[in-house]
Amino acid sequence: MAGLAVILVLGGTVEGRRLAEELDRRGVGHVLSLAGRTSSPSGAARVGGFGGVAGLRSFLEENAITTVVDATHPFAEGMTRNAADACAALGIRLIRVDRPGWAAHPHAADWTWVGDHTAAAAAVGRLGAQRVLLTVGKQHALDYSPALDDVEVLVRATEPPPGPLPAQWTLLLARGPFALDDERRLFAESRIDCLVTKNSGGAATAAKLTAAHEAGAAVVMIARPAPPEGAEIVPDAESALNLLAR
Ligand code: NAP
């Protein structure tokens, strides 16, 4: 596939980085794009939004992109929708790397599944939880205020949310992967009785689900957005490379 394609990889995930590294190794023309949400992105060819569907369409045309691989996070809804719209309008091939979620986890049937953050906050209220571990990302933590202002919430995120936390809340800055023994300790020491998280999938952050079960904590799980229409869906970077090589 060397030299034949100019591929745009929409990254922000381990899979995106892996894919770009492998394309590099194989000498395949590509551009890795990151949103610029983390303060120190590494190895990106370009950083920052395109300016909506119109901006993305211009970028695709100006750079003669033949294929877009959307390897953004399963919950990066805006970028995924824009990529689907722009590719459909220009007739460009779209591959979506959608890593498997946790629906098949042994304890998934015990979880309270909800559609969004508002519903998740309401579910915590209904469950009567008092000490919540909130792992929904820095951008969404404050969606739970004021609903959970009177609950002890431990917000675990890689970077601080974009505003002050309510008085009862505590920030725990940490980056996965998280080991099961560390998760067990966290649940025990903080006496967590409810975990609120997104169905992100992957192994790096799955240990909390086992720790929650063992601790008898409730799990409120935010379901994934639907995959984009018109995309070839693959579970990982390797499958995307196989598709690209065909
Ligand atoms: P989002 O809501 O889908 O993206 C919002 C806007 O950010 C997009 O419309 C686009 O701006 C820009 N953008 C997003 N990904 C981009 C990329 N790879 N390259 C260039 N621009 C990008 O996404 P989000 O939830 O804010 O996530 C932002 C990034 O963090 C994503 O790349 C995602 O992979 C990563 N991430 C997200 C999560 C999560 O839980 N959501 C977790 C880990 C990592 P324009 O409209 O201006 O083009």
Side-chain angles (χ1 to χ4, degrees):
M1 71 183 140
L4 290 179
V6 180
I7 298 167
L8 173 64
V9 178
L10 300 169
T13 57
V14 172
E15 295 301 325
R17 196 172 62 235
R18 263 194 212 137
L19 181 58
E21 283 169 1
E22 188 57 28
L23 290 172
D24 250 347
R25 207 181 59 77
R26 298 183 187 190
V28 180
H30 69 281
V31 181
L32 172 63
S33 173
L34 297 178
R37 293 283 193 276
T38 50
S39 21
S40 53
S42 61
R46 68 168 302 288
V47 176
F50 298 93
V53 178
L56 178 58
R57 280 181 64 160
S58 303
F59 181 89
L60 296 174
E61 289 181 311
E62 281 161 18
N63 292 279
I65 300 293
T66 53
T67 302
V68 173
V69 183
D70 175 4
T72 57
H73 188 271
F75 281 83
E77 267 185 279
M79 189 68 254
T80 290
R81 195 172 43 242
N82 290 357
D85 288 354
C87 287
L90 298 175
I92 289 177
R93 185 182 193 191
L94 174 63
I95 297 173
R96 169 65 169 149
V97 181
D98 204 20
R99 65 179 181 225
W102 290 319
H105 189 278
H107 307 304
D110 301 334
W111 303 339
T112 300
W113 287 82
V114 295
D116 57 30
H117 297 284
T118 307
V124 172
R126 278 198 307 279
L127 289 163
Q130 291 305 309
R131 287 170 302 279
V132 173
L133 175 60
L134 187 62
T135 65
V136 295
K138 66 172 178 181
Q139 289 178 72
H140 289 288
L142 292 171
D143 293 358
Y144 292 76
S145 175
L148 302 188
D149 279 7
D150 296 330
V151 174
E152 283 180 41
V153 176
L154 182 58
V155 178
R156 183 167 71 186
T158 51
E159 295 187 4
L165 299 185
Q168 298 251 54
W169 295 19
T170 309
L171 178 63
L172 173 59
L173 291 177
R175 187 179 292 277
F178 299 104
L180 180 55
D181 279 347
D182 293 336
E183 298 293 58
R184 285 178 172 137
R185 199 170 309 120
L186 179 66
F187 273 78
E189 285 175 0
S190 302
R191 298 185 300 127
I192 299 298
D193 60 5
C194 181
L195 165 69
V196 179
T197 193
K198 302 187 291 194
N199 183 20
S200 300
T205 59
K208 64 189 171 195
L209 304 169
T210 304
H213 175 77
E214 290 178 2
V219 174
V220 176
M221 183 66 69
I222 301 167
R224 282 186 182 198
E229 284 183 20
E232 297 164 80
I233 313 269
V234 293
D236 52 32
E238 198 186 349
S239 313
L241 285 162
N242 289 341
L243 258 192
L244 289 167
R246 257 190 243 153

